[in-house]
Amino acid sequence: MKCLCLVAFLAIVITQSYNDLGVEAASGDGFVSRKGVQFILDGKPFYANGFNAYWLTYEATDPATRFNITYAFQNATSRGLTVARTWGFRDGGYRALQTAPGRYDELTFQGLDFAIAEAKRLGIKMIITFVNNYSDFGGRKQYVEWAKSQGQVANSEDDFYTNPLVKQFFKNHVKTMVDRVNTFTKIAYKDEPTIMAWELMNEPQCKADPSGKTLTAWIGEMATYVKSLDSKHLLSTGLEGFYGDSSPQRKASLNPVAANVLGTDFIANHFFDAIDFASIHSYPDLWFPNLNETSRLEFLRKWLEGHMEDAQNILKKPLILGEFGKPSNTPGYTLAQRDAVFNATFDTIYASAEKGGPIAGALFWHLISGGMTNFEDPLSIVLSDNTSSVNIIGQQSRKLGLIGGRGKLSHKIKI
């Protein structure tokens, strides 16, 4: 308890130092860009070995719990992790970011400001997602409800992609985000190199149109809009990676059967010039609950390899595994099984990276700090626990860092 109080005190001191002195990037890194199928940072290949931490803004809204962000980032950098993926939304509800269309809670926005400033201070890049496919934290459903409250006729959440007012709500949110000036760093988000990329949505789906055409049209429109406001940052979709009608063989061989009605199309959804890199997720335990461990690991490798081939040969863009993990509530679960999933994932990625291939890294779901019991779930990982899985994560960071010519990763901490 004394340790946590000390860290909380340091977080408050850090906040004050931001206000008094401003923030200087610890690593001096510039914007992440892409060249062909590789990410580039400061003239060298950049690999995104990292983590998801969807809770950053929520916890940072209260200055008393900002130490959780500091502690998580410090543990991440000590293991060479380079990228954090987090939500740039909380639509309605408790501690909402967007309380109503175009209306924002300043304290919550300052929470996101703090998370970005801490990432900057500690040398972590961020991928920030604009909206959720699911109703958790508002998502598409909340946008449609807002439109209905203003007299719009909407039949389902999938009207999010076609209703003109809903689309304008989303565009307004995008503009608010990219134009936001960080209250700690005094830098507009669109000018902040700590932000590596934006994602249009977390796991977009459109069951109303299984052909994928509705979602593809929406991605094309919104990707062009984002780039018209912010040409400095990379952009991706946030897709899970399910194939559609443009890839019938892949759809038949790789998609879980249930995915064929979700209205996504990995190739078509990523084919736009405004989309800079491809996104996939991987959860074989959830998609194939009746398969044994060996079969799920075999699927994992094929899933990665198939998307790597298509990113290289068709899309000609980098690829990031934006979410993956091993749920501890899987029947018969052991830590060795989680280790096997992480090893299979990382080995496949390293083999590609070593040859200059397109897959640039993986972000496990999800990182929490010790003591954050309200965010614990079957997929959460605490890096300070020093489990075998944590050691595997650190080893992958070191290996990718050597390929990228960055050697041992270290960051100065300035307070």
Side-chain angles (χ1 to χ4, degrees):
M1 178 61 71
K2 290 181 180 179
C3 179
L4 289 179
C5 290
L6 175 61
V7 178
F9 171 75
L10 286 174
I12 294 172
V13 171
I14 290 167
T15 300
Q16 187 60 45
S17 71
Y18 286 143
N19 295 334
D20 293 343
L21 303 174
V23 178
E24 180 181 350
S27 61
D29 291 338
F31 287 90
V32 178
S33 60
R34 77 172 179 97
K35 183 178 181 180
V37 298
Q38 289 193 314
F39 292 123
I40 302 295
L41 177 61
D42 297 338
K44 298 178 181 180
F46 177 73
Y47 294 98
N49 200 45
F51 57 93
N52 284 269
Y54 70 91
W55 48 267
L56 294 177
T57 298
Y58 181 91
E59 284 292 277
T61 297
D62 182 355
T65 54
R66 285 178 180 167
F67 69 89
N68 283 320
I69 289 84
T70 302
Y71 190 48
F73 283 176
Q74 287 174 338
N75 276 296
T77 55
S78 72
R79 287 158 180 82
L81 297 177
T82 55
V83 175
R85 178 174 177 259
T86 195
W87 297 162
F89 60 84
R90 194 174 184 91
D91 308 308
Y94 182 61
R95 288 193 185 177
L97 176 61
Q98 189 174 195
T99 59
R103 295 176 59 186
Y104 293 82
D105 187 297
E106 178 59 23
L107 291 178
T108 303
F109 233 143
Q110 288 179 17
L112 181 55
D113 290 347
F114 178 84
I116 294 170
E118 274 295 79
K120 183 183 187 76
R121 189 176 69 90
L122 293 166
I124 292 175
K125 297 296 185 184
M126 298 187 75
I127 296 175
I128 301 178
T129 309
F130 287 129
V131 72
N132 205 3
N133 173 65
Y134 310 105
S135 59
D136 305 83
F137 317 115
R140 290 192 296 128
K141 181 179 180 180
Q142 181 62 74
Y143 274 78
V144 172
E145 289 299 319
W146 281 333
K148 289 169 68 175
S149 71
Q150 295 189 18
Q152 295 289 302
V153 177
N155 298 315
S156 76
E157 296 172 24
D158 288 333
D159 288 332
F160 177 91
Y161 300 112
T162 56
N163 181 277
L165 182 59
V166 175
K167 290 198 291 183
Q168 191 59 52
F169 286 164
F170 179 75
K171 288 179 178 179
N172 293 346
H173 176 59
V174 169
K175 182 171 174 54
T176 299
M177 288 287 289
V178 301
D179 287 343
R180 169 76 176 182
V181 176
N182 192 307
T183 53
F184 296 101
T185 68
K186 313 305 180 186
I187 298 172
Y189 286 12
K190 62 186 176 185
D191 298 321
E192 176 54 73
T194 298
I195 298 172
M196 171 182 169
W198 303 109
E199 277 188 347
L200 292 176
M201 184 183 293
N202 175 52
E203 299 187 344
Q205 301 172 359
C206 182
K207 295 179 182 178
D209 181 8
S211 76
K213 292 179 181 179
T214 297
L215 181 56
T216 299
W218 182 85
I219 289 172
E221 178 182 350
M222 297 306 168
T224 300
Y225 180 72
V226 174
K227 286 292 189 175
S228 74
L229 301 176
D230 179 2
S231 61
K232 295 180 179 179
H233 288 106
L234 301 174
L235 178 66
S236 194
T237 60
L239 275 172
E240 294 158 284
F242 301 128
Y243 286 94
D245 292 343
S246 66
S247 311
Q249 291 183 329
R250 293 288 199 208
K251 183 177 179 180
S253 63
L254 286 180
N255 275 13
V257 174
N260 292 332
V261 299
L262 298 180
T264 68
D265 188 320
F266 174 73
I267 299 298
N269 295 161
H270 286 111
F271 211 72
F272 299 99
D273 289 341
I275 297 296
D276 296 295
F277 64 95
S279 161
I280 62 171
H281 297 173
S282 180
Y283 293 110
D285 296 275
L286 304 179
W287 299 343
F288 303 102
N290 296 322
L291 291 184
N292 59 34
E293 285 299 306
T294 301
S295 298
R296 286 196 285 246
L297 284 174
E298 182 181 356
F299 169 83
L300 169 61
R301 293 187 184 93
K302 290 181 178 178
W303 179 252
L304 294 176
E305 290 167 356
H307 287 87
M308 285 159 46
E309 289 175 7
D310 293 338
Q312 176 82 50
N313 300 323
I314 300 176
L315 297 175
K316 305 184 189 307
K317 298 177 181 182
L319 171 68
I320 284 184
L321 177 59
E323 291 185 21
F324 78 101
K326 174 70 177 180
S328 60
N329 61 352
T330 304
Y333 168 85
T334 65
L335 184 59
Q337 290 177 352
R338 174 175 279 180
D339 290 350
V341 168
F342 276 68
N343 274 322
T345 300
F346 289 153
D347 287 350
T348 303
I349 291 171
Y350 181 77
S352 171
E354 196 175 28
K355 296 181 291 187
I359 191 161
L363 316 177
F364 68 83
W365 185 278
H366 64 113
L367 173 67
I368 62 172
S369 289
M372 290 178 60
T373 55
N374 51 328
F375 290 98
E376 285 181 357
D377 63 36
L379 285 160
S380 57
I381 290 179
V382 179
L383 292 176
S384 58
D385 285 349
N386 291 316
T387 63
S388 51
S389 297
V390 171
N391 292 333
I392 291 168
I393 292 167
Q395 290 168 7
Q396 177 76 348
S397 295
R398 288 189 290 273
K399 290 165 66 178
L400 290 176
L402 289 171
I403 292 177
R406 299 176 191 276
K408 183 178 179 181
L409 298 175
S410 63
H411 302 282
K412 295 178 182 178
I413 299 175
K414 298 184 179 182
I415 298 179

